[in-house]
Amino acid sequence: MIDDQNTAYLLDRLGQLSRQRDALPAYQIDILENLLDLIQLGLNETERRTAQSERCAQALADATAGLHLAQIGQWQGSSFEVASFVTDTQGIIRRSNRAAGALLQQQPSHFVGHEIKDLVKEDQRATFSDILAQIAAGEQIIHEGESVLITTNGEDVEVVFTVFSLRNGPAGKLVGIRWLFQRPVHEGINQDELFDTQERLRATFAQSAVGMAHLTLDGRWERANERLCDLTGYSEEELVNMTLADVLHPDDLREDEAYSQQLLAGLITTYTLELRYLQAESGLIWARQTASLLSDRNGQPQRRILVVEDITDRKRVQSDLVAALHRTHQLYAISRYIAQSNTHEEILKALMGADELRNVHRALAIGFEQPWEDTPPESLDTLAEWWRQAQENLGASASYPFGQLGYEPFFLRNETVIISNVGLDNRIDSDLGAFLEKAGTQSLLVFPLVANRLWFGTLIFFFDEVFSSDDDKLRYITSIVDLAAIALFNQRLFTLEAQARRDAEVADDLKLKFLAVISHELRTPLASIKGFASTLLAQDVTWSAESQRDFIQTIDEEADKLSELISQLLDLSRLEAGTLAMSLEAIAPGDVLKMAEPELRILARNHQLTVELSDDLPMMMADTQRLAQVLANLVNNSTRYSTPGTQISIKVDMVDTDVVFSVSDQGVGIPPEVQQSIFQPFNRSTDIASERGIGLGLAISQGIVERHGGRIWVAESSKAGTTIRFAIPNVQSANQERP
């Protein structure tokens, strides 16, 4: 059962978390709400079973009281029940039974809320007040006497009464008072009725839904009902040859003996304990045991009466609730520590504070070079590594090619891999097995690290014991790994950002030189976009549909300029940092033209575009998309510096061992003195008024060509206009140049 102290603790901790729910992440709010539902179910079940237990205990008390009255010659009528009232400590009636209603000729509920002393004649009320005062003062005695009750019709009813206190739990806290009334019988005991009463008591005892037993005063079993035998696993014949000490857990026996001594001394009238009973087949159950004494007519104790209720399920619920609350509190604490961490190592160290990871002797957080989508990453990086005890590294490096580490077969995006015994799992190869054996690893847990829907790494836990898992344990570990994944992802972004900042500082001198140019080129389209947007939004002018379309088209064109400018700046930055992605493979020159042709047709829509491809050209090692980008940049330049309607030609042929692409136009040409500088960023060779751009296209083209091992230049020509060529080595030449 969940006792008052544990209940208060649970509700207090949940109250604290509930008050902080606005500061909790969404997944913690879900966990908290699920926990509240679970605890409410547990409390509802506890309340239901407690009420059932109280009804059984009340029936037993009534039966015991009836037998006591019969034994002292104060039992009459064929009804088994006596008139019973339960009051609070102030004497206010809270409950009464049917016999009470019959005795005073009123419905039992009529008496609830009235004072018990109002039921007797006025000259006897002082006696009842004295009894209340004595019980409130802590006296542990049973009060007996005679009195006269008044029915609702004003008739007097002579009764004998017995009063005893009701105390809850081992502490003996006073929770109420029971008053039993019975008409006196002066002509002796009716033996038939006494026999009938005893038979009823025996049937109640035998068929009770809770365990019941009689014990001698020294703790030997006298009788046990069927339910108690079921709970202990012993037959009644076996129990009568045993003592209570034989079936109580040794750690609980001393507490029961202490309260039993208080019971025999008259210090308490009953007590209730939660104890562990040892079953015949080496099992164990938790039981709620209520004990009281059965005395003879002279008040001398004769035997102890036990009522035993199986509360194993309730104890299990309580244990689960406490464990769930502890995990929730720990999850909240770990999330705070992780949030305050500034490095990958601190994040991993905070994660290792979880109880479920106490048998982990090593943890390894691995990051992918790029988020793993369709193809595996080329290399892996050690984000953080944690050892329970400082020791030398057993072979792992900070960075290694994909496939070298040995754990890669266990890297799954949507699944946690559990290797319970590395020595018996055939998925572990011999080399990795030897490595793990040297490290003392018995089990592995491999979790994917996913954040913002990106699978960016893997977290591996190395256990020095065989890992045994249940759903709750694995779900909890997964939840804290998800926390760490978000933090590791963000920290990695911060690290990359810091590196980018350092790279930006290195290139800052170059950027500052052209800041004025960039500022101008950004302001021009922005000013157009802002101006035409404001014009469209003006409320004092109504524009025709044609004018509105012109304004919107201008906004669209200026937005395209901004997009192109941003794309070029990004490509240039990646080239300078050496991070522009390249996928070199053996391709035919015609593949480049085929990929570039749609964009080239759009760029040269106001010109005459011709393409000439020589026969028998060799294969080349190249990135098709990047070379298509170079062709687009060159054609775009030609359209800017030549008159609409003139010809732009593309030619691909073989020169020595290189495949050479040429782009020629009939424009104004490039003066010889600036031909060497046009491939520098932000350089423009002419001041033609209609020319647009900031001079990044040729710089980007040069960077791409050089990444292919080629070169780009302005070719000499006797004709008007400009011809720019770039050469790419063929496959054989490219392979010979590779180390």
Side-chain angles (χ1 to χ4, degrees):
M1 179 184 297
I2 302 178
D3 56 33
D4 292 342
Q5 182 177 2
N6 283 328
T7 300
Y9 169 73
L10 286 169
L11 296 179
D12 177 66
R13 296 301 302 141
L14 285 171
Q16 294 181 26
L17 290 173
S18 296
R19 289 190 292 273
Q20 299 171 349
R21 66 178 288 141
D22 291 341
L24 298 176
Y27 67 89
Q28 288 193 18
I29 293 176
D30 292 340
I31 293 174
L32 179 60
E33 291 178 347
N34 291 336
L35 186 59
L36 286 170
D37 292 340
L38 179 60
I39 287 179
Q40 187 60 54
L41 288 174
L43 293 177
N44 290 343
E45 178 67 9
T46 298
E47 182 179 354
R48 182 184 69 80
R49 295 202 178 194
T50 300
Q52 181 183 22
S53 177
E54 288 178 352
R55 288 195 297 272
C56 293
Q58 178 182 346
L60 177 63
D62 290 342
T64 304
L67 179 60
H68 174 68
L69 291 172
Q71 288 175 329
I72 64 175
Q74 296 298 336
W75 173 264
Q76 76 166 15
S78 61
S79 172
F80 167 71
E81 294 182 314
V82 296
S84 173
F85 295 89
V86 175
T87 71
D88 59 19
T89 57
Q90 303 299 316
I92 305 300
I93 298 173
R94 299 304 180 191
R95 188 167 65 246
S96 61
N97 65 359
R98 290 175 298 173
L103 181 65
L104 297 180
Q105 303 175 19
Q106 187 58 266
Q107 292 294 327
S109 60
H110 170 78
F111 306 109
V112 176
H114 293 78
E115 293 189 55
I116 190 70
K117 64 183 181 180
D118 291 341
L119 303 181
V120 302
K121 298 189 68 173
E122 187 173 357
D123 59 352
Q124 298 179 11
R125 293 178 181 176
T127 300
F128 278 49
S129 296
D130 291 341
I131 293 174
L132 286 171
Q134 293 174 36
I135 293 177
E139 294 190 18
Q140 307 288 334
I141 59 176
I142 297 177
H143 299 267
E144 296 179 343
E146 298 181 358
S147 184
V148 177
L149 301 182
I150 304 174
T151 69
T152 54
N153 296 329
E155 299 177 359
D156 294 346
V157 179
E158 294 183 3
V159 295
V160 293
F161 66 86
T162 301
V163 184
F164 55 90
S165 59
L166 299 175
R167 299 185 180 273
N168 183 24
K173 179 182 178 182
L174 180 65
V175 295
I177 304 169
R178 183 179 291 276
W179 308 71
L180 302 176
F181 298 91
Q182 176 69 30
R183 292 179 184 269
V185 177
H186 302 291
E187 52 273 9
I189 302 174
N190 184 314
Q191 294 300 320
D192 291 337
E193 292 181 355
L194 178 58
F195 176 79
D196 181 64
T197 299
Q198 292 173 337
E199 286 300 309
R200 289 173 180 267
L201 287 173
R202 276 192 286 269
T204 301
F205 180 90
Q207 300 171 15
S208 174
V210 296
M212 298 178 66
H214 291 172
L215 275 74
T216 62
L217 297 182
D218 60 358
R220 289 181 293 108
W221 298 94
E222 282 189 336
R223 296 179 60 194
N225 69 352
E226 182 178 353
R227 178 56 178 159
L228 185 64
C229 292
D230 291 340
L231 294 179
T232 61
Y234 294 103
S235 66
E236 186 175 17
E237 291 76 13
E238 291 174 316
L239 283 174
V240 296
N241 294 314
M242 302 168 65
T243 66
L244 180 61
D246 294 329
V247 297
L248 276 186
H249 193 284
D251 294 342
D252 298 334
L253 181 60
R254 181 175 299 178
E255 184 178 19
D256 180 76
E257 290 177 343
Y259 280 97
S260 178
Q261 291 174 5
Q262 295 183 51
L263 188 68
L264 292 172
L267 300 178
I268 56 177
T269 59
T270 184
Y271 68 88
T272 300
L273 295 175
E274 292 185 356
L275 307 170
R276 286 163 290 180
Y277 271 64
L278 303 176
Q279 295 177 305
E281 300 297 330
S282 302
L284 182 147
I285 64 166
W286 275 95
R288 183 175 186 265
Q289 173 189 285
T290 300
S292 59
L293 289 178
L294 183 63
S295 303
D296 60 17
R297 63 186 302 164
N298 297 319
Q300 294 300 315
Q302 296 297 303
R303 58 184 51 85
R304 192 157 33 137
I305 300 176
L306 295 186
V307 178
V308 182
E309 178 190 4
D310 184 0
I311 60 170
T312 304
D313 290 342
R314 278 184 258 172
K315 278 291 186 179
R316 187 178 297 111
V317 170
Q318 175 186 355
S319 177
D320 291 344
L321 291 177
V322 172
L325 179 62
H326 174 71
R327 286 178 172 177
T328 301
H329 182 266
Q330 188 177 76
L331 182 64
Y332 176 70
I334 290 175
S335 66
R336 291 186 60 188
Y337 295 147
I338 289 178
Q340 297 169 1
S341 301
N342 295 317
T343 64
H344 293 135
E345 289 74 16
E346 290 178 357
I347 294 170
L348 191 56
K349 183 178 179 181
L351 180 66
M352 300 312 300
D355 291 343
E356 282 71 8
L357 299 176
R358 57 183 173 273
N359 293 326
V360 173
H361 70 93
R362 180 192 178 204
L364 179 63
I366 298 172
F368 304 147
E369 179 188 22
Q370 295 292 334
W372 190 338
E373 295 180 354
D374 297 329
T375 57
E378 294 183 0
S379 64
L380 306 174
D381 299 320
T382 299
L383 298 179
E385 189 171 12
W386 176 90
W387 292 90
R388 184 196 302 155
Q389 297 178 348
Q391 54 184 284
E392 63 177 347
N393 193 300
L394 299 179
S397 60
S399 182
Y400 24 75
F402 186 87
Q404 178 179 322
L405 187 60
Y407 306 109
E408 288 82 354
F410 313 128
F411 292 179
L412 301 176
R413 179 187 178 96
N414 299 313
E415 182 179 346
T416 298
V417 176
I418 302 175
I419 301 177
S420 299
N421 193 322
V422 298
L424 301 177
D425 199 304
N426 56 18
R427 293 174 292 179
I428 303 291
D429 61 35
S430 58
D431 292 338
L432 180 58
F435 175 84
L436 295 174
E437 181 181 359
K438 185 177 180 181
T441 300
Q442 296 291 322
S443 301
L444 289 178
L445 278 186
V446 185
F447 288 89
L449 294 177
V450 179
N452 292 346
R453 300 182 179 179
L454 297 175
W455 182 21
F456 69 93
T458 296
L459 181 57
I460 307 175
F461 294 116
F462 302 77
F463 290 81
D464 56 14
E465 296 182 2
V466 174
F467 178 76
S468 58
S469 174
D470 56 60
D471 291 341
D472 289 340
K473 182 177 182 180
L474 189 59
R475 189 181 303 112
Y476 175 73
I477 297 177
T478 301
S479 67
I480 60 176
V481 169
D482 290 342
L483 276 176
I486 296 172
L488 289 169
F489 181 77
N490 291 335
Q491 186 61 42
R492 197 178 192 196
L493 289 181
F494 296 152
T495 302
L496 293 175
E497 182 184 5
Q499 181 62 45
R501 190 182 303 113
R502 288 191 293 270
D503 293 341
E505 290 174 355
V506 172
D508 189 54
D509 290 339
L510 178 62
K511 297 289 192 297
L512 289 176
K513 290 171 54 178
F514 307 103
L515 181 60
V517 176
I518 296 176
S519 176
H520 175 268
E521 294 299 328
L522 287 174
R523 284 198 186 100
T524 300
L526 283 175
S528 298
I529 292 172
K530 175 63 177 176
F532 283 104
S534 299
T535 300
L536 285 171
L537 292 173
Q539 298 181 358
D540 55 345
V541 180
T542 300
W543 301 99
S544 65
E546 182 179 358
S547 297
Q548 293 180 25
R549 179 175 180 80
D550 290 342
F551 295 160
I552 293 173
Q553 184 174 355
T554 301
I555 292 174
D556 181 65
E557 292 173 353
E558 296 300 325
D560 287 341
K561 294 177 185 177
L562 282 177
S563 177
E564 180 184 0
L565 174 61
I566 293 172
S567 296
Q568 290 182 338
L569 288 171
L570 289 175
D571 284 345
L572 180 65
S573 176
R574 293 188 185 108
L575 280 169
E576 292 177 347
T579 60
L580 186 66
M582 291 282 187
S583 178
L584 302 181
E585 57 184 348
I587 62 171
D591 294 339
V592 178
L593 295 174
K594 184 177 181 180
M595 175 173 283
E597 184 177 7
E599 184 177 2
L600 298 180
R601 295 295 179 189
I602 295 174
L603 291 173
R605 59 186 178 274
N606 296 324
H607 294 74
Q608 300 177 28
L609 180 65
T610 62
V611 178
E612 181 181 346
L613 180 65
S614 299
D615 297 329
D616 301 324
L617 293 175
M619 303 289 284
M620 54 185 182
M621 292 297 296
D623 185 322
T624 307
Q625 182 177 357
R626 291 302 182 186
L627 290 188
Q629 181 181 354
V630 173
L631 282 177
N633 286 343
L634 296 181
V635 171
N636 191 27
N637 262 22
S638 294
T639 61
R640 291 175 175 177
Y641 292 97
S642 62
T643 304
T646 58
Q647 184 176 356
I648 297 176
S649 60
I650 299 175
K651 183 178 181 181
V652 185
D653 54 11
M654 183 77 174
V655 177
D656 296 331
T657 60
D658 295 335
V659 178
V660 178
F661 293 75
S662 302
V663 177
S664 303
D665 61 54
Q666 297 174 343
V668 295
I670 302 175
E673 63 272 14
V674 298
Q675 289 182 4
Q676 296 299 321
S677 61
I678 62 171
F679 296 103
Q680 295 179 3
F682 306 99
N683 188 288
R684 294 176 294 183
S685 62
T686 68
D687 294 321
I688 299 175
S690 61
E691 178 272 330
R692 298 168 295 174
I694 58 174
L696 292 180
L698 292 179
I700 293 172
S701 298
Q702 183 184 48
I704 292 174
V705 170
E706 289 178 351
R707 286 284 300 275
H708 282 77
R711 62 190 184 94
I712 187 170
W713 69 98
V714 178
E716 296 181 359
S717 176
S718 58
K719 298 180 180 180
T722 301
T723 298
I724 296 181
R725 295 178 178 174
F726 64 91
I728 303 296
N730 63 34
V731 170
Q732 184 177 2
S733 299
N735 289 334
Q736 291 176 351
E737 294 174 0
R738 292 181 181 274

